[in-house]
Amino acid sequence: MAKLILSMDGLVLKDISVSKERMSIGRKSHNDIQIDNLAISGEHAVIVTLLNDSFLEDLGSTNGTAVNGQSIKRHFLQDGDVIELGKYKLKYVNEAVQQTTPADFEKTVVLRPDMLRQTVAQVESKGFGDTQVGAAALGLGAADAAATPVAPVFAEAAHVAPAQPPMAAIQVLSGSGKTLDLVKSLTTLGKPGVQVAVIARRPQGYFITHVEGAGFPVVNGKTLDAQAHALADHDVIEIAGVKMEFFFKS
């Protein structure tokens, strides 16, 4: 189970278990994590957790929320991230993800930004999810990505839902031409903090949705909006300059 270590001016105040799907942070007493300080808004931010993954969203606070010194609106939390709220800091510790897996595969789940305030049950009832890809997934900068075709890091969710559509896959159209079977209910593509999207495998089909980053995914040359987009056979997806083809397997 992940936890948050609350501190101020280097003094640790307490450890907080991330034990709920939705945990609010703010000055008012009804928040799950109350920080009674005028620099903190009444309802400042929220952390939503699904399986082993947590997502932080600023709730339009007056003074804003930062992670590792960078101002954020939404952020996919990683082990060791430090959330900054005025003089207070919350260090995110998630021992469940302190491990590596072969062939650049790692387990993760990503929700759409507009779903962050909903429960897991509500997310499942929507019948769709999101997808994430980024050229910077291998740590390349913009110039490097433009000069060198690369395959993004693939990440998969940890459970498979019943009554799913026919098997499908995506294949990177440059570099190694890596292929990823979409066998999980949620598959993320990309690098948190750069560009993130999710492909959801549902009974109705496969859906791609933007999660994080300034640019939105492009499908068949058309830039998507924040809504989930149903994928069709041989659709070409582009995220952060990396193109890949979605296709159904025979």
Side-chain angles (χ1 to χ4, degrees), residues 40-174:
I40 310 299
S41 295
E43 295 178 350
H44 197 102
V46 64
I47 295 175
V48 174
T49 300
L50 179 60
L51 299 181
N52 290 326
D53 297 293
S54 297
F55 306 86
L56 171 70
E57 182 178 16
D58 182 85
L59 298 178
S61 64
T62 301
N63 295 317
T65 302
V67 176
N68 303 329
Q70 299 294 319
S71 178
I72 63 96
K73 293 298 182 183
R74 290 176 297 273
H75 180 78
F76 172 46
L77 288 169
Q78 300 177 80
D79 181 58
D81 278 351
V82 177
I83 304 167
E84 300 170 31
L85 309 163
K87 294 183 178 180
Y88 291 83
K89 293 183 179 181
L90 284 165
K91 182 176 181 180
Y92 178 75
V93 179
N94 189 353
E95 296 179 355
V97 297
Q98 292 178 358
Q99 55 186 351
T100 58
T101 55
D104 291 331
F105 282 76
E106 57 177 333
K107 298 183 182 300
T108 184
V109 176
V110 177
L111 299 178
R112 285 175 42 200
D114 60 340
M115 288 182 177
L116 291 178
R117 297 185 181 89
Q118 301 181 29
T119 64
V120 173
Q122 289 172 320
V123 172
E124 293 293 338
S125 70
K126 293 290 184 181
F128 56 81
D130 306 353
T131 307
Q132 167 184 0
V133 176
L138 295 181
L140 296 177
D144 294 326
T148 307
V150 296
V153 173
F154 290 113
E156 301 182 52
H159 76 282
V160 180
Q164 298 291 3
M167 182 63 66
I170 54 175
Q171 182 177 18
V172 177
L173 299 179
S174 60

Side-chain angles (χ1 to χ4, degrees), residues 2-56:
K3 68 178 181 179
L4 297 163
I5 302 174
L6 178 64
S7 65
M8 184 181 69
D9 296 331
L11 177 65
V12 174
L13 302 178
K14 61 178 175 179
D15 288 2
I16 304 164
S17 296
V18 181
S19 57
K20 297 173 60 177
E21 293 163 355
R22 184 184 190 278
M23 295 184 68
S24 60
I25 305 170
R27 190 181 69 253
K28 295 182 179 179
S29 60
H30 67 264
N31 288 283
D32 298 294
I33 302 174
Q34 183 190 16
I35 302 177
D36 190 8
N37 185 281
L38 291 178
I40 310 299
S41 295
E43 295 178 350
H44 197 102
V46 64
I47 295 175
V48 174
T49 300
L50 179 60
L51 299 181
N52 290 326
D53 297 293
S54 297
F55 306 86
L56 171 70

Side-chain angles (χ1 to χ4, degrees), residues 176-194:
S176 64
K178 181 184 291 184
T179 298
L180 173 68
D181 291 337
L182 301 174
V183 298
K184 306 300 182 180
S185 58
L186 292 173
T187 301
T188 69
L189 306 170
K191 182 178 181 180
V194 178

Side-chain angles (χ1 to χ4, degrees), residues 180-220:
L180 173 68
D181 291 337
L182 301 174
V183 298
K184 306 300 182 180
S185 58
L186 292 173
T187 301
T188 69
L189 306 170
K191 182 178 181 180
V194 178
Q195 190 173 23
V196 178
V198 178
I199 291 177
R201 184 175 186 235
R202 302 301 188 204
Q204 301 91 335
Y206 293 81
F207 296 82
I208 180 172
T209 311
H210 175 73
V211 174
E212 183 180 354
F216 282 69
V218 175
V219 176
N220 300 329

